[in-house]
């Protein structure tokens, strides 16, 4: 079947049609024609969306699906459908599973379960066996089986020498190493940002120092070893400064920030809503300003949802006992679109992120495979429960204002709209 998108404004700096409003004709998953007007034929499936914008498919560098082991939270199948409806044609999935993805069989299992979806899955292998931070996992074998990077999700590597060895070893096959930024000896038993609100509410705090010390340590190690380092989900103003200085030195380092850290402060804690319990914790307006500036000037390379489904049994409990995590695929664009320019968001979800994780670029151009995200950047909305496609409903953005609408994706020779 031929698919015709009418009056689509293309947002893709790698495309010769960037910022032009055109019709796009797709046949068997390939873009056949792009022109100001294409006449519809009887066998064309035509789509007319309000204020339609099209970019190359978005990529989220940090999502969790429960399968295997936590299928009650999210299966791979439903997770990929959620990603597609949220505008993502590719996701990197963390090894937060049971068993942990620390060997090639586990990588191959995830890839096989994802066959036939509009959204492609890219497994992140565990950096250490069982994500315990003691011994290096089978990195080379996992990369040969399809893993795109290696890290222990939301677990800091306390052993500096082990990270040094990982960075040295990974260079032999040009692998990307992820290091979660938290010094556990400083964070202690903290559960929220250490600031005025934590004191007022009687909640144990995690100082920004915990993140910044770990980043400083990791950057020193990277300077010593060489290699490729990615620091996921930074959250403080000083973290942005440290990474900017490292890049100016020529170190091969990238970082990401979550949509909720770009838009929400620790004032959210006053509700004691356990959906606000995330790691790293929500910080202050000063941090938000620095993070937004970091995305705008390229210090922060990519935006992520850090999508982390948690079942109700582990969220509808006392705040101190609740598990960390929020779902975020469905709300990422609408949330970030309230504080960033649309083109900035698209760049942070496409070119920058894909390059780092070695994922093929697919510009919106004639002859290219259709790997498209369809959206409308205008319009004020509230993020409601009916906007959630995930099995788990632990959404930090529930009942909060968003801007814009995601229509879905055309990718992998499939349509999810």
């Amino acid at each position: 079947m031929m698919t015709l998108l009418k009056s689509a404004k293309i947002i893709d700096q790698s495309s010769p049609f960037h910022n032009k409003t055109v019709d796009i004709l797709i046949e068997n998953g390939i873009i056949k024609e792009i022109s100001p007007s294409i006449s519809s034929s009887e066998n064309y499936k035509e789509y007319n969306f309000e204020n339609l914008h099209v970019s190359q498919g978005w990529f989220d560098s940090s999502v969790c699906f429960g399968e295997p082991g936590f299928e009650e939270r999210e299966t791979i199948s439903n997770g990929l459908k959620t990603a597609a409806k949220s505008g993502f044609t590719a996701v990197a999935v963390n090894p937060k599973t049971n068993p942990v993805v620390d060997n090639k069989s586990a990588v191959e299992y995830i890839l096989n379960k994802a066959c036939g979806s509009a959204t492609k899955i890219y497994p992140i292998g565990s950096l250490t066996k069982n994500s315990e931070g003691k011994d290096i996992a089978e990195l080379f074998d996992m990369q040969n089986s399809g893993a795109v990077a290696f890290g222990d999700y939301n677990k800091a590597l306390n052993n500096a020498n082990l990270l040094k060895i990982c960075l040295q070893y990974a260079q032999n096959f040009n692998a990307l190493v992820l290091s979660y930024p938290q010094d556990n000896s400083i964070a202690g038993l903290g559960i929220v940002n250490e600031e005025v609100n934590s004191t007022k509410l009687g909640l144990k705090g995690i100082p920004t120092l915990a993140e910044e010390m770990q980043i400083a340590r990791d950057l020193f190690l990277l300077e010593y070893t060489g290699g490729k380092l990615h620091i996921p989900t930074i959250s403080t103003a000083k973290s942005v400064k440290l990474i900017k200085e490292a890049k100016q030195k020529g170190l091969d380092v990238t970082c990401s920030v979550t949509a909720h850290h770009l838009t929400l402060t620790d004032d959210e804690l006053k509700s004691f809503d356990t959906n606000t319990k995330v790691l790293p914790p929500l910080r202050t307006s000063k941090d938000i300003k620095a993070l937004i500036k970091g995305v705008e000037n390229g210090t922060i390379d990519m935006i992520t949802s850090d999508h982390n489904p948690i079942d109700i049994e582990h969220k509808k409990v006392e705040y101190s006992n609740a598990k960390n995590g929020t779902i975020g695929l469905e709300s990422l664009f609408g949330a970030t679109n309230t504080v960033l320019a649309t083109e900035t968001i698209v760049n942070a979800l496409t070119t920058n992120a894909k390059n780092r994780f070695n994922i093929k670029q697919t510009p919106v151009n004639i002859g290219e495979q259709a790997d498209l995200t369809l959206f409308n950047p205008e319009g004020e909305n509230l993020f409601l429960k009916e906007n959630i496609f995930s099995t788990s409903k632990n959404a930090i953005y529930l009942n909060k204002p968003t801007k814009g609408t995601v229509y879905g994706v055309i990718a992998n020779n499939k349509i999810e709209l």
Side-chain angles (χ1 to χ4, degrees):
M1 179 182 285
M2 307 276 271
T3 303
L4 179 61
L5 303 179
K6 298 292 288 183
S7 299
K9 184 174 182 179
I10 294 175
I11 307 295
D12 181 4
Q13 291 181 351
S14 63
S15 169
F17 300 96
H18 178 52
N19 272 333
K20 294 180 180 177
T21 300
V22 294
D23 290 356
I24 304 172
L25 182 63
I26 301 162
E27 181 181 1
N28 297 324
I30 304 295
I31 299 174
K32 285 293 183 182
E33 186 180 349
I34 299 176
S35 68
S37 180
I38 299 173
S39 299
S40 186
S41 173
E42 287 183 9
N43 64 336
Y44 289 1
K45 175 67 174 176
E46 187 175 309
Y47 290 96
N48 264 299
F49 289 107
E50 182 183 355
N51 193 30
L52 176 60
H53 285 56
V54 170
S55 71
Q56 63 170 287
W58 299 344
F59 167 63
D60 192 330
S61 60
S62 177
V63 304
C64 297
F65 298 147
E67 191 175 4
F70 303 112
E71 286 84 355
E72 72 280 6
R73 298 178 183 177
E74 191 78 279
T75 62
I76 290 173
S77 174
N78 192 69
L80 290 174
K81 189 167 186 177
T82 298
K85 288 183 174 295
S86 305
F88 295 91
T89 63
V91 293
V93 64
N94 292 302
K96 189 186 177 185
T97 52
N98 185 23
V100 168
V101 180
D102 63 359
N103 59 77
K104 67 176 186 177
S105 297
V107 170
E108 289 163 2
Y109 171 85
I110 288 172
L111 290 171
N112 289 334
K113 290 289 287 188
C115 286
S117 298
T119 300
K120 290 183 179 179
I121 202 167
Y122 293 90
I124 296 173
S126 178
L127 186 64
T128 63
K129 290 181 181 177
N130 205 33
S131 287
E132 291 177 343
K134 296 177 181 177
D135 302 296
I136 301 177
E138 300 170 6
L139 309 188
F140 182 66
D141 284 350
M142 284 193 285
Q143 180 157 301
N144 285 342
S145 293
V148 292
F150 304 98
D152 298 334
Y153 178 69
N154 274 9
K155 292 183 178 179
L157 200 55
N158 296 328
N159 186 334
N161 187 57
L162 186 57
L163 180 59
K164 174 181 76 89
I165 293 168
C166 288
L167 284 165
Q168 290 172 326
Y169 173 59
Q171 290 176 63
N172 291 305
F173 41 98
N174 198 32
L176 178 63
V177 172
L178 279 59
S179 179
Y180 179 70
Q182 179 172 289
D183 184 317
N184 291 328
S185 65
I186 299 291
L189 299 175
I191 57 173
V192 299
N193 183 45
E194 184 181 88
E195 255 289 345
V196 174
N197 282 322
S198 64
T199 304
K200 283 181 178 178
L201 300 170
L203 297 170
K204 291 180 180 178
I206 301 174
T208 60
L209 180 66
E211 177 171 308
E212 294 148 7
M213 280 186 65
Q214 191 82 348
I215 288 176
R217 182 204 77 169
D218 291 353
L219 293 174
F220 270 116
L221 289 170
L222 180 64
E223 188 172 10
Y224 177 80
T225 61
K228 293 161 57 178
L229 178 67
H230 178 68
I231 301 173
T233 62
I234 68 169
S235 66
T236 82
K238 195 160 187 180
S239 296
V240 178
K241 184 181 177 185
L242 287 167
I243 290 166
K244 184 176 183 179
E245 290 170 351
K247 288 186 172 187
Q248 288 170 345
K249 282 183 181 179
L251 299 185
D252 193 354
V253 60
T254 53
C255 65
S256 66
V257 64
T258 74
H260 44 276
H261 284 101
L262 286 169
T263 53
L264 302 175
T265 70
D266 62 354
D267 286 342
E268 299 293 327
L269 302 177
K270 294 172 184 176
S271 67
F272 282 97
D273 180 356
T274 55
N275 289 330
T276 66
K277 189 180 179 187
V278 291
L279 201 64
L282 296 176
R283 304 291 187 183
T284 66
S285 56
K286 176 188 170 187
D287 296 303
I288 282 182
K289 287 175 185 174
L291 292 166
I292 289 172
K293 188 176 179 182
V295 174
E296 290 173 338
N297 65 27
T299 301
I300 298 174
D301 303 87
M302 59 199 82
I303 302 169
T304 176
S305 66
D306 203 29
H307 183 82
N308 187 2
I310 304 292
D311 51 279
I312 193 169
E313 287 82 3
H314 291 98
K315 271 295 185 182
K316 203 168 184 180
V317 292
E318 287 183 6
Y319 201 94
S320 58
N321 294 328
K323 285 189 177 294
N324 293 299
T326 176
I327 57 172
L329 282 166
E330 301 98 318
S331 57
L332 183 147
F333 178 72
T336 54
N337 198 34
T338 63
V339 294
L340 289 167
T342 302
E343 197 167 313
T344 301
I345 298 168
V346 169
N347 286 342
L349 293 175
T350 55
T351 306
N352 299 351
K354 288 179 178 178
N355 282 344
R356 190 52 165 174
F357 283 78
N358 200 28
I359 292 167
K360 184 186 175 186
Q361 296 283 335
T362 48
V364 185
N365 201 3
I366 299 164
E368 293 283 354
Q369 185 176 358
D371 184 65
L372 308 175
T373 297
L374 284 64
F375 63 99
N376 175 3
E378 301 300 328
E380 306 296 325
N381 305 293
L382 273 182
F383 186 76
L384 303 173
K385 197 165 185 178
E386 51 259 41
N387 301 125
I388 296 175
F389 307 114
S390 305
T391 303
S392 295
K393 310 302 178 186
N394 55 309
I396 197 171
Y397 243 88
L398 197 60
N399 300 318
K400 290 185 169 56
T402 59
K403 182 183 176 186
T405 303
V406 176
Y407 296 124
V409 302
I410 298 176
N412 209 17
N413 204 13
K414 297 187 181 300
I415 298 174
E416 191 74 62
L417 298 171

